[in-house]
Amino acid sequence: GAVVSQHPSRVICKSGTSVKIECRSLDFQATTMFWYRQFPKKSLMLMATSNEGSKATYEQGVEKDKFLINHASLTLSTLTVTSAHPEDSSFYICSARDPGLAGARETQYFGPGTRLLVL
Amino acid sequence: QKEVEQDPGPLSVPEGAIVSLNCTYSNSAFQYFMWYRQYSRKGPELLMYTYSSGNKEDGRFTAQVDKSSKYISLFIRDSQPSDSATYLCAMISSYKLIFGSGTRLLVRP
């Protein structure tokens, strides 16, 4: 399967600081990437859809000024958690949409996740 | 009613058992069905992908789709302790993945 990387894998920060998480698709161009949040023993919650060259689309209840998304190239999307607070501590996972070639399947490949702990 | 329903488990089986994991869905427009495996503190890994009713086999894994019943299954034969993970069913709707809640599987040695 395709490879999607995330950096950093783990970050600890103080309350009030901002944290940037990078998501890269390594072997295909992803015009669309997705950002998810996952709490312990829970399923993934879609936060936003990141489209290359345009504004991200946020899911209901997700603050766009809190979670800034930039998709500046076909292989890189970034999520910045601004003014982080302890309740932002979570596991953040990105995925990249692979539309497939004609007749082939569309699917999403996930990054390994970033564990954020805000003290 | 959730769009995708999945029993969260946990499901505990002995090594070598056949495991059956299931999801039901409500939207008949879903056409693409996936199973992801997620180990603790890792991102989901795509296991199986189907887009039509019937069975698809890959090694010890078989994915089954019954569109008339809106029911999908993942079977694991000869289960191994390394199969212990959370298994998520997912469907594509308007480019987005709609996930089930995930079933935690524990294969006991």
Side-chain angles (χ1 to χ4, degrees), chain A residues 10 32 34 36 38 41-44 46 49 57 59 91 93 95 97 103 105-113 115, chain B residues 32 34 36 38-46 48-49 51 56 88 92 94-102 104:
Chain A
R10 184 180 302 179
T32 304
F34 301 88
Y36 295 83
Q38 188 176 33
K41 299 185 180 181
K42 299 293 184 183
S43 191
L44 288 81
L46 179 64
T49 303
T57 304
E59 295 300 301
F91 192 49
I93 309 174
S95 72
R97 174 178 174 252
R105 64 191 196 191
E106 167 189 345
T107 191
Q108 288 185 29
Y109 295 97
F110 285 82
R115 188 160 301 280
Chain B
Y32 302 95
M34 284 145 282
Y36 286 86
Q38 186 177 25
Y39 291 110
S40 181
R41 302 188 178 208
K42 301 289 184 184
E45 168 195 0
L46 181 64
M48 298 288 285
Y49 183 108
Y51 56 87
K56 180 179 180 180
L88 301 130
I92 289 181
S94 299
Y95 307 131
K96 298 178 184 178
L97 279 179
I98 309 297
F99 282 98
S101 58
R104 288 175 54 210

Side-chain angles (χ1 to χ4, degrees), chain A residues 42-108:
Chain A
K42 299 293 184 183
S43 191
L44 288 81
M45 181 190 80
L46 179 64
M47 298 174 65
T49 303
S50 170
N51 298 298
E52 188 268 336
S54 65
K55 290 183 179 180
T57 304
Y58 291 82
E59 295 300 301
Q60 191 173 11
V62 178
E63 298 176 60
K64 62 179 181 181
D65 295 328
K66 173 75 171 175
F67 299 99
L68 300 179
I69 291 173
N70 184 277
H71 194 155
S73 78
L74 289 172
T75 59
L76 173 65
S77 175
T78 60
L79 168 69
T80 301
V81 183
T82 62
S83 186
H85 290 281
E87 58 264 31
D88 298 324
S89 299
S90 190
F91 192 49
Y92 293 87
I93 309 174
C94 72
S95 72
R97 174 178 174 252
D98 181 356
L101 299 175
R105 64 191 196 191
E106 167 189 345
T107 191
Q108 288 185 29

Side-chain angles (χ1 to χ4, degrees), chain A residues 5-14 17-24 35 66-72 76-84 92 94 113-116 118:
Chain A
S5 70
Q6 265 183 259
H7 179 79
S9 59
R10 184 180 302 179
V11 58
I12 301 173
C13 69
K14 293 182 179 180
T17 60
S18 294
V19 175
K20 180 186 283 188
I21 303 170
E22 292 186 349
C23 177
R24 295 181 185 272
W35 286 97
K66 173 75 171 175
F67 299 99
L68 300 179
I69 291 173
N70 184 277
H71 194 155
L76 173 65
S77 175
T78 60
L79 168 69
T80 301
V81 183
T82 62
S83 186
Y92 293 87
C94 72
T114 296
R115 188 160 301 280
L116 171 64
V118 184

Side-chain angles (χ1 to χ4, degrees), chain B residues 60-98:
Chain B
R60 296 185 295 113
F61 299 91
T62 299
Q64 190 175 78
V65 174
D66 182 346
K67 288 188 175 181
S68 62
S69 302
K70 300 191 186 69
Y71 189 88
I72 67 171
S73 301
L74 177 69
F75 299 97
I76 307 174
R77 289 184 298 281
D78 187 25
S79 57
Q80 303 295 310
S82 58
D83 294 328
S84 299
T86 296
Y87 291 80
L88 301 130
C89 64
M91 295 147 204
I92 289 181
S93 175
S94 299
Y95 307 131
K96 298 178 184 178
L97 279 179
I98 309 297

